[in-house]
Amino acid sequence: MKSLLTLKKYFTRYKTTIFLGFVFIFLSNITSVFVPLFIRDGIDELRRQISKPALLKYAFLIVGVTLISGVFRFLIRQTIIVTSRKIEFDLRNDFWSHLQKLSLRYFQNTKTGDIMAHASNDINAVRNFIGPAVMYSFDTLTLFIFTLVLMFSIDVQLSLLSLIPFPILSIFVYYFGKKIHFLFTKIQEHFSILTARAQENLNGIRIIKAYVREESEINHFKKLSYDYFKKNLSKIKIDSLFHPTLFLTIGSSMIIIMWFGGLKVINNKLTLGELTAFILYMGYLIWPAIAFGWITNLTQQAAASQKRLNAIFAIEPEIKDTSLTNYEIKNIIGEIEFKNVSFRYRKNLPFVLKNINLKIPAGSTYAIIGHTGCGKTTLVNLIVRFYDVTEGELLIDGNDIKTIPLKLLREEISVVPQETFLFSDTLKNNIAYGLNNFESEEFIDEKVNEAIKIAHLTPDIESFPDGINTIIGERGITLSGGQKQRTSIARAVAKDGKILILDDCLSAVDTNTEEIILSNLKNFMAGKTSIIISHRISTIKDADQIIVLDNGMIAEQGTHEELIELNGIYTRIYQKQLLEKELEEI
Amino acid sequence: MSDFFQDDEVIGKAYDARLMKRLLKYVKPYRGYIVLAIILNILTAALEPVRPYLTKIAVDEYISIGDSSGLLQIIALILISLVLQAIIEYAMRFATQYMGQRTLLDLRIEIFTHLQKLSLKFFDKSPVGRLVTRVTNDVESLSELFSSGIVMIFSDIFIIIWIFVFMILMSFDLAIVTMSVIPVLVYATFLFRKKVRANYRDVRKHLARLNSYMQEHISGMSVVQLFNKEKVEFEKFKSINEDYRDANIKSVFYHAIFYPFVELISAIAVALIIWYGGGEVVQKNLSLGVLFAFIQYTEMFFRPVRDLAEKYNILQTGMASSERIFKLLDTKMFVNNPENPEPLKEIKGKIEFRNVWFAYNDEDYVLKDISFTINPGETVAIVGATGAGKSSIINVLLRFYDINKGEILIDDINISKVDKRELRKQIALVLQDVILFSGDIKSNISLWNEIIPFEKILEAAKIVGADKFINELPKKYDEEVKERGATLSLGQKQLISFARALAYNPKILILDEATASIDTESEKLIQKAISKLLKGRTSIVIAHRLSTIQNSDKIIVLHKGRIREMGKHYELLEKKGIYYRLYQLQYKDQEINT
Ligand SMILES: Nc1ncnc2c1ncn2[C@@H]1O[C@H](COP(=O)(O)OP(=O)(O)OP(=O)(O)O)[C@@H](O)[C@H]1O
Ligand SMILES: Nc1ncnc2c1ncn2[C@@H]1O[C@H](COP(=O)(O)OP(=O)(O)OP(=O)(O)O)[C@@H](O)[C@H]1O
Ligand SMILES: [Mg+2]
């Protein structure tokens, strides 16, 4: 329950409206409880042979009072429920804005489907609390009290008798609700397993088909679905019991009223009109009784959901501006220095980078080569601050990277990630992604066109019917491997930061195209600090310095020529990439 | 770009006979339950309106004349009717929900199975998120249709009918007067429905947008952060969220008007009863008990109407969902299997393309007049500029897509004449884009195939040299793999998907830039290790590094979808064509430096 306290700040934001809503609830109920009284009077006066105009008076009173109460009902929804939608909006915005601050680690270790579940189911559960639960709790409370007061004013004894089943009803609703909530949580959990399974299956459909795993996937899914069915079944068993038991309890109240009330009428201790009013009031009480249990459940569910949300809100973004941040730093020149840097992903995992010492002067081009999994991408992830170093210091322009405002840092670094991610948008929008929206149309067009040229996308774009406005599929699915990579290069080029990082970004590109892109980039990179990661010597040989990373350590460093001389790892790689000299034989 | 993309935004009618009929087909196997439910329904529907009638008797015949034992009898009857109704209702609710869930189970499996059969052309155009929705949420919203929708609406209708019957039996005049408000009610409901329907479409549309936005941007969050676009993306998110909020607020407005309005009409009905009925009582044309019962009937009558708004939503959601589901099930984008497939047992591994033309869309040919033959056991390399159509050749060979013109033959059998699963079983493929599933390392290699023993997994991992890094992981082969293998380096992921291909022990091996992100030394080791394995097997290799392919039996040079050169390494060099130029480019570097 405590978790719901987080919502206080949202409630205070709308406190006047919510207060008004409560006032409307009060007014609406205080008027509507009079209807049965009018009916009572009408019926009782019938026995006294009243005239038609008098009847008309009661008829109008009934309609009039309902009308007034209805206006308030309208206002209640317009204040409280509308506010709940507004709070839901605020909450979802806050959720997203927080999510955007979380670091790569979180997203690497959390399933997309899980985050989605929080964003939809949990926020929804909380909204149900803010809206209906808050509204009905005050609503039922006032209605309950007013009704009781009036019932007692008619006949104390009968009121007490007819109330007997009510505590049972509330307890029953509460208990059932709890049980159902428990089963429901189980079902929800299973549902997200089912969803995740379908999602991964469809993401990997190419592999599933290539390896003819459809049958086994279907069988697996069948099993999951069947389990899901079984879980639902156990809920149905309880669920179906709920309603019948509910009205049986209510019905027993009715019977009590009919019997004792009827006897009282017979003994002239109660009028027939009063009996009618009683029965009608009973109807008024049923709802609060049900609602009481229902509200408790809604609140419980909301509390559980809010707890999950709070857990996410409580995750401190690993990477963010802190008290160390020096906002005096207004620009980046591009010198990068690793001082004794070591890094590991988690405490119990081995170090991925060990004692890295490396100084990359501003404006120079450095290349990194090394075995699969030796830590190249990790090194880059440190420079863009996806992770912070475990030990040692990483300096940009002589400032500790942690003191540089994150926004500035990322503004000045253009990265082509090893794994291409494109948005399902037009090619143009993907390439212009790094440009500020406030830039003029011409500026953007110019930048995009330049980037397309550098990334050598021109021939491909010419071959597309829609050219630069071609919409690409999810993650760029309708492009060839090389086209995707080059789009990603173009995107980084268009952004034009002081530091350029290319992580294995020509792996899916043929030599000819690679040559063209590299020579295009040469001009582009002038004056920029560049880091190029590649497995191909041809890509990196012209770099100012080449770093050979081995097992998380810098094993060799130097120019291409120097490293060849060294006769070490680099030379070995080089020789393996040599083509047999058939050219001379021809 | 795709018609499926807008589907979430299309909302049909709340009741569509065509869809309903089709839905009922799924219910057919469980029709016993339905029949039972309907019979029980009619029974309970009658039991409820009986009670005010009984109270009328109690008032008129016992209370008014002071007969308490008679009153007791009536009360006993009421109690019996209550208990009876409770029991019947339990049975009814259970039967319908059970039937509903059973049906959903069948439907869900059918959709999933159908999805497994659809061709890649379909998947190219359909965002995964939407398809997942079909299998999960859309089926789920049908569940409400089954459990609280169809049957409950039936029961409401029956109740209303019974109420009419009882009212007319008691007093025809008063019944007519009371019912005179119904046209107003019907009209109000009609108006409300119309408004809500349009609004509901908006809500769904914005929700779908919100979800697909979140899904995509959560997957691509690192790009958002790298490009410093948090602010811009937040504004985008906010505006979608805003639209969603406003659509919801609008629907609150309609509900806020509708409910009190129904309340008001019900009050008018009561007022009419008091005014007209009261007059009749005064003139002794009517008993007080009837009046009493009528007031209760009004209550009873308006409750289902009040619920109608909500049930209408359920019905509409259900119809919209089933519409989308059926549309998916009607999508027949298959790569068809022949009726009588030719057997493809122990193949030798000969592959032949004869004048193959292929386009992903209409007439934009990506492959043009491709012809070549690969003899059993040969290793053939395909080279060419990016976008030349190399991967596409593989796509059509595996029958991921059907070709437009020409023939593809395996062991001289046209591949369109064999069962495509049989065909694919002969081939193992390492894709350019690595696909890993969440699970553990070993099941990512075996793809949960029980036939592949653990030793085979180990062996395959060893051959590609993946065992080195796997053994360094805390739990080795049982180490958890995250969604898309997020915590592995790209090269490591490629090694795993390579090991997967070897573990399947195929007759034909296809490597589409399978080692593009793997370092040269490992690559050479793999080549050496698999060269033994490849003896007697056909293999197709796509690679940009010529050093990896120069020993192939045949090299195919693809340019803009056409085969421009074909032959052995030295033959192609002699030609002094495209390959020669490529070779020179790569060779030039080493010339300078050695
Ligand atoms: N699913 C698809 N739908 C539509 N067009 C596609 C699809 N896949 C590829 N294409 C287009 O077909 C052409 C050939 O693509 P293909 O993937 O065969 O090239 P590739 O030679 O393998 O290139 P790369 O070396 O870059 O991987 C490209 O222009 C690409 O944009
Ligand atoms: N998020 C992570 N959590 C845990 N371990 C990780 C994570 N990312 C990478 N690793 C591990 O750290 C090591 C270095 O990975 P990295 O991606 O830096 O390699 P790389 O040199 O870029 O390799 P490649 O050439 O394959 O791209 C690998 O062993 C990898 O499995
Ligand atoms: Mg890497």
Side-chain angles (χ1 to χ4, degrees), chain B residues 91 100 108-109 130 166 187 193 225 238 249 255 319 348 351-352 361 445 458 509 523 536:
Chain B
R108 197 188 305 275
I109 291 172
R130 309 273 169 144
F166 276 101
Y187 183 67
R193 229 182 54 177
Q225 293 180 345
K238 203 164 135 188
I249 288 181
H255 284 92
M319 284 293 150
K348 294 197 194 68
I351 300 171
E352 188 178 351
N361 306 309
I445 295 178
L458 280 181
L509 181 67
E523 189 182 28

Side-chain angles (χ1 to χ4, degrees), chain B residues 136 201 228 306 341 396 489 507 582:
Chain B
T136 54
R201 183 183 306 144
N228 241 339
R306 236 172 296 161
V396 295
S489 91
K507 257 272 138 32
L582 276 177

Side-chain angles (χ1 to χ4, degrees), chain A residues 478 480-483, chain B residues 124 360 366 386-392 432 513 544:
Chain A
T478 51
S480 86
Q483 287 164 346
Chain B
D124 285 345
Y360 287 101
V366 171
T386 87
K390 304 180 292 295
S391 305
S392 307
Q432 192 170 9
E513 297 185 32
H544 288 305

Side-chain angles (χ1 to χ4, degrees), chain B residues 499-560:
Chain B
R500 180 192 289 160
L502 297 186
Y504 271 75
N505 202 15
K507 257 272 138 32
I508 299 172
L509 181 67
I510 298 181
L511 308 174
D512 190 354
E513 297 185 32
T515 53
S517 297
I518 292 170
D519 64 280
T520 314
E521 287 191 273
S522 313
E523 189 182 28
K524 291 279 168 195
L525 287 177
I526 296 173
Q527 272 180 353
K528 224 188 203 154
I530 64 170
S531 68
K532 267 182 274 157
L533 204 102
L534 284 182
K535 282 255 159 61
R537 291 172 213 248
T538 310
S539 59
I540 299 179
V541 180
I542 296 178
H544 288 305
R545 270 180 269 176
L546 298 188
S547 62
T548 56
I549 56 148
Q550 57 188 355
N551 292 325
S552 315
D553 296 310
K554 190 182 283 167
I555 295 168
I556 297 173
V557 182
L558 211 59
H559 190 72
K560 295 202 169 144

Side-chain angles (χ1 to χ4, degrees), chain A residues 249-495:
Chain A
T249 329
I250 296 163
S252 52
S253 238
M254 279 297 190
I255 285 178
I256 292 176
I257 293 182
M258 279 304 287
W259 172 238
F260 289 100
L263 284 183
K264 278 188 177 230
V265 175
I266 291 172
N267 299 328
N268 276 328
K269 290 198 184 117
L270 199 72
T271 66
L272 196 55
E274 283 171 332
L275 184 62
T276 318
F278 241 93
I279 290 181
L280 288 176
Y281 278 132
M282 233 23 241
Y284 277 26
L285 282 188
I286 292 166
W287 169 233
I290 298 173
F292 179 73
W294 181 63
I295 290 166
T296 326
N297 283 321
L298 275 189
T299 312
Q300 262 182 358
Q301 282 177 25
S305 286
Q306 186 63 41
K307 203 166 153 190
R308 284 193 286 273
L309 290 176
N310 284 347
I312 294 180
F313 278 118
I315 302 172
E316 273 293 309
E318 194 177 325
I319 309 294
K320 59 170 181 191
D321 287 345
T322 60
S323 55
L324 292 176
T325 312
N326 178 3
Y327 290 100
E328 299 293 297
I329 303 174
K330 290 271 189 279
N331 54 8
I332 282 177
I333 300 159
E335 186 197 80
I336 304 168
E337 187 177 3
F338 286 81
K339 264 192 186 163
N340 263 323
V341 168
S342 296
F343 175 79
R344 59 179 166 191
Y345 279 98
R346 259 186 292 125
K347 272 236 170 61
N348 53 346
L349 287 180
F351 276 97
V352 175
L353 295 176
K354 298 159 203 160
N355 264 320
I356 302 283
N357 280 299
L358 175 67
K359 187 164 175 173
I360 306 176
S364 59
T365 302
Y366 271 52
I368 307 176
I369 190 167
H371 284 151
T372 294
C374 71
K376 303 179 293 296
T377 303
T378 308
L379 194 83
V380 168
N381 281 348
L382 294 181
I383 301 176
V384 294
R385 261 195 102 194
F386 271 157
Y387 288 92
D388 273 333
V389 298
T390 315
E391 282 163 28
E393 264 185 300
L394 176 53
L395 310 173
I396 307 271
D397 298 341
N399 300 309
D400 190 316
I401 195 165
K402 288 177 196 156
T403 64
I404 299 172
L406 199 57
K407 188 166 180 305
L408 175 70
L409 180 77
R410 301 230 170 115
E411 200 129 83
E412 289 302 343
I413 303 183
S414 310
V415 187
V416 184
Q418 191 171 21
E419 284 174 84
T420 310
F421 183 94
L422 300 176
F423 292 100
S424 53
D425 200 339
T426 61
L427 258 176
K428 181 179 171 187
N429 286 344
N430 267 291
I431 295 172
Y433 192 67
L435 297 171
N436 287 319
N437 304 36
F438 56 76
E439 303 287 5
S440 69
E441 198 67 34
E442 295 87 57
F443 178 82
I444 290 178
D445 282 347
E446 190 187 317
K447 279 276 175 195
V448 167
N449 286 332
E450 191 193 321
I452 287 173
K453 262 191 218 115
I454 292 177
H456 198 58
L457 264 175
T458 325
D460 303 80
I461 289 178
E462 276 167 4
S463 79
F464 296 149
D466 293 331
I468 195 170
N469 293 317
T470 306
I471 294 179
I472 56 186
E474 257 188 344
R475 286 172 184 262
I477 209 161
T478 51
L479 297 178
S480 86
Q483 287 164 346
K484 267 186 274 189
Q485 272 194 339
R486 282 175 291 141
T487 309
S488 174
I489 295 175
R491 179 171 66 184
V493 165
K495 185 185 171 191

